[in-house]
Amino acid sequence: MSELWPWLLLAGLGAFHGLNPAMGWLFAVALGVHRQSASAVVRAVPAIAIGHAASIALVAGALVAAGLLVDSHSVRMATGAGLVAWAAWHFLYGHRHRVRVGMRTGLVGLALWSFLMATAHGAGLMIVPALMPLCTTEGALPGMAAGRSAVMTLAAVGVHTVAMLAATSIAALAVYRWVGLGILRSAWINVDLLWTLVLLATGVLLLVL
């Protein structure tokens, strides 16, 4: 289980990110309703996943680079402090800074929107606890350690993105075809607050453990 838990955490966080409407499925549904086409929903989801994956990969690459230059304890502490600060910023100001993209956007614009939203929400920082045991390795030969870290980083981003893509697809198609947007009025929860709490808990976990 010690070797499996980072992968399960990556997949679980991918599903959590995919189910968060701010990460894209609500936008995909809105595009489908606006264009009166289920295919618009289907086309939107992969573009959203690509943008999200790019944001995650950026953080993972920075983590690997930092892990090769400084010790993992320093990386963990810096990331934990950053997550706590990000949670505070998101709670106080996050709702005031939304990335706005119109209903006429193409797939490239949608991918860019997804990248900016994932980055602004700290989605990449949130998965650092799962990335650290996989992507920050210490070996006798730095070149071999770097090569292994690069491979593990790509695999980690892939697992997270596949889970996020699956969850986004299910949520978007379910709401568009069967549930309907009326559920947003009757069964809505404060996802922004939940997201902020997860950011905070992840940061505290990195600082304490």
Side-chain angles (χ1 to χ4, degrees), residues 84-144:
V84 172
W86 205 293
W89 179 90
H90 191 267
F91 178 76
L92 294 172
Y93 304 110
H95 62 285
R96 301 180 187 177
H97 300 280
R98 300 299 186 191
V99 182
R100 303 190 185 279
V101 176
M103 289 292 118
R104 300 189 178 210
T105 185
L107 296 182
V108 174
L110 191 57
L112 178 60
W113 171 86
S114 177
F115 171 82
L116 294 174
M117 284 296 290
T119 303
H121 277 72
L125 289 176
M126 191 184 289
I127 69 169
V128 166
L131 290 175
M132 286 196 69
L134 297 174
C135 303
T136 55
T137 60
E138 297 179 2
L141 297 176
M144 292 181 63

Side-chain angles (χ1 to χ4, degrees), residues 19-204:
L19 292 175
N20 184 351
M23 292 292 103
W25 69 256
L26 185 57
F27 198 170
V29 173
L31 283 173
V33 172
H34 181 262
R35 299 175 185 178
Q36 298 184 341
S37 170
S39 64
V41 180
V42 174
R43 290 194 304 269
V45 171
I48 291 169
I50 289 172
H52 188 89
S55 178
I56 297 297
L58 186 65
V59 173
L63 176 65
V64 170
L68 294 173
L69 297 174
V70 297
D71 63 280
S72 58
H73 175 73
S74 298
V75 174
R76 187 174 69 252
M77 297 300 289
T79 305
L83 272 166
V84 172
W86 205 293
W89 179 90
H90 191 267
F91 178 76
L92 294 172
Y93 304 110
H95 62 285
R96 301 180 187 177
H97 300 280
R98 300 299 186 191
V99 182
R100 303 190 185 279
V101 176
M103 289 292 118
R104 300 189 178 210
T105 185
L107 296 182
V108 174
L110 191 57
L112 178 60
W113 171 86
S114 177
F115 171 82
L116 294 174
M117 284 296 290
T119 303
H121 277 72
L125 289 176
M126 191 184 289
I127 69 169
V128 166
L131 290 175
M132 286 196 69
L134 297 174
C135 303
T136 55
T137 60
E138 297 179 2
L141 297 176
M144 292 181 63
R148 181 184 181 279
S149 294
V151 172
M152 296 301 285
T153 299
L154 290 174
V157 173
V159 168
H160 180 84
T161 303
V162 168
M164 185 264 182
L165 177 62
T168 304
S169 300
I170 292 171
L173 290 174
V175 171
Y176 180 80
R177 286 190 173 276
W178 301 294
V179 179
L181 292 174
I183 193 175
L184 301 180
R185 293 190 296 269
S186 59
W188 187 252
I189 62 173
N190 191 339
V191 181
D192 264 356
L193 178 59
L194 177 61
W195 185 274
T196 301
L197 292 175
V198 173
L199 283 172
L200 179 62
T202 306
V204 172

